[in-house]
Amino acid sequence: MTITTSENTTATTATVRPVVGWLAAAGAIASAVAGAIQAVRSDDGNPLVGTSEHVLLAMVAAALVFWIPGYLALGRLAGTRTARIGAWLAVAGSALLALGMTSTNLHDQDYSWFPIVAAPANLFWLLGSILLAVATWRTRTLPRPLAFALVLVWLTSIILSQAGGNLIAGVIWGFVAWSLLAAARRTA
């Protein structure tokens, strides 16, 4: 079966394995747990990582890693060059941030190289999310509000993180996981 996208390209309908949807759901739960912790904890300004911050960093890093197959699946499902580039940029950004957060967690504070990695990682994740949102919007791979919400994942996870924004990111990825599981059922 083929689909014609709004970019006048023809793409083969990609298959999605159920494990991708379940990993996205696990990432959604990890993000929601991190958001709940962020919402109730006060930032003490101490550069050393405290107990709740260890859990927080582990949850956010896990969510980023669990979302990687979901980003790739969305890129394949949309079937456009824009979607594939967006997916890979989001994956690169997510992986770099997960690496940085894990190293901070193990070292009990940020390494001196963390800002050098975090800046491009955030840029990749944001640009990838925008490209993927545009592609999934145009191809109707996701319902349009959910396609738009892909960009909000970065916004809530980074900009609104201290206010519990990862809780919102977790809810968004919960709906993405549901969509990926539905796609897996359709292609099975």
Side-chain angles (χ1 to χ4, degrees), residues 1 20 28 76 79 84-85 150 169 172 180:
M1 173 185 224
V20 173
R76 281 192 316 274
R84 288 187 297 275
I85 291 169
L150 285 177
I172 293 168
L180 289 170

Side-chain angles (χ1 to χ4, degrees), residues 19-33 59 62-67 170 173-174 177 181:
V19 69
V20 173
W22 290 113
L23 286 171
I29 293 167
S31 181
V33 168
M59 290 290 111
L64 289 168
V65 170
F66 288 148
W67 292 340
W173 266 97
L181 287 168

Side-chain angles (χ1 to χ4, degrees), residues 144-161:
R144 287 200 159 169
L146 190 53
F148 173 76
L150 285 177
V151 177
L152 297 179
V153 170
W154 180 86
L155 178 71
T156 58
S157 295
I158 301 301
I159 305 298
L160 301 176
S161 65

Side-chain angles (χ1 to χ4, degrees), residues 26-38 59 63 67 164 166-171:
I29 293 167
S31 181
V33 168
I37 293 169
Q38 289 167 321
M59 290 290 111
W67 292 340
N166 275 301
L167 188 55
I168 297 167
V171 170

Side-chain angles (χ1 to χ4, degrees), residues 28-111:
I29 293 167
S31 181
V33 168
I37 293 169
Q38 289 167 321
V40 298
R41 114 182 223 296
S42 62
D43 186 19
D44 59 5
N46 188 348
L48 294 177
V49 177
T51 305
S52 66
E53 289 171 302
H54 279 295
V55 175
L56 177 65
L57 287 168
M59 290 290 111
V60 174
L64 289 168
V65 170
F66 288 148
W67 292 340
I68 287 174
Y71 280 126
L72 293 173
L74 290 173
R76 281 192 316 274
L77 285 170
T80 65
R81 184 171 185 253
T82 301
R84 288 187 297 275
I85 291 169
W88 281 105
L89 282 172
V91 164
S94 297
L96 284 172
L97 283 173
L99 174 70
M101 288 179 187
T102 302
S103 67
T104 295
N105 210 1
L106 296 174
H107 185 61
D108 286 334
Q109 63 184 347
D110 288 342
Y111 280 101

